[in-house]
Amino acid sequence: MSDESLVKQGVAKGTSVGGAVLLVTVGLLEFFQGISAIAKDDVIVVGVEYTYKFDVTAWGWFHLVFGVIIAAVGAALFTGATWARVGAMVLCAVSIFVNFLWLPYYPLWAITIIALNAVVIWAVATWNPETV
């Protein structure tokens, strides 16, 4: 394997470990965001009518459950297991879709999470744990 390929794998591995940390963090934040939405906290702003509008409590339960799943897969991603890598990519893809729908409630957060999910998908898809 060439030096350039080893460097790319090293970057992908580092980013994948960073992605695992991000997934655990995002999972915890999603969990707490779900609790906030379920409690109908003043943090969640329900504004203009939106095509993909759902009840904030329903969003809260979704974020709560999704957050636990994301955190669990993020923790498993530290092992480099194939199922965890595939699960992370699938969850990130679903998270991109969900955060698109969540845009009217927390636009800056949703855009940030979409970008981070794209980085995690790239990192996990390009990392070959057997190489480095």
Side-chain angles (χ1 to χ4, degrees):
M1 186 168 266
S2 72
D3 288 340
E4 182 181 337
S5 182
L6 287 174
V7 169
K8 286 181 183 178
Q9 285 301 305
V11 170
K13 179 181 180 180
T15 309
S16 292
V17 171
V21 171
L22 283 174
L23 281 179
V24 171
T25 304
V26 167
L28 291 172
L29 291 173
E30 291 278 358
F31 176 80
F32 290 123
Q33 183 175 339
I35 289 174
S36 180
I38 291 168
K40 296 186 180 183
D41 194 357
D42 292 333
V43 174
I44 307 294
V45 177
V46 180
V48 298
E49 290 297 316
Y50 188 60
T51 305
Y52 306 111
K53 184 175 180 177
F54 295 104
D55 180 53
V56 175
T57 304
W59 271 117
W61 280 106
F62 181 79
H63 282 287
L64 187 120
V65 172
F66 198 54
V68 170
I69 294 169
I70 288 173
V73 171
L77 189 58
F78 283 109
T79 67
T82 302
W83 72 267
R85 293 173 61 215
V86 171
M89 288 188 285
V90 169
L91 284 175
C92 284
V94 171
S95 182
I96 287 172
F97 177 71
V98 166
N99 280 286
F100 171 76
L101 298 177
W102 184 248
L103 275 169
Y105 301 99
Y106 270 141
L108 186 58
W109 174 252
I111 292 168
T112 302
I113 295 301
I114 288 169
L116 292 174
N117 282 321
V119 170
V120 172
I121 289 172
W122 169 82
V124 172
T126 57
W127 176 35
N128 182 0
E130 290 80 32
T131 305
V132 178

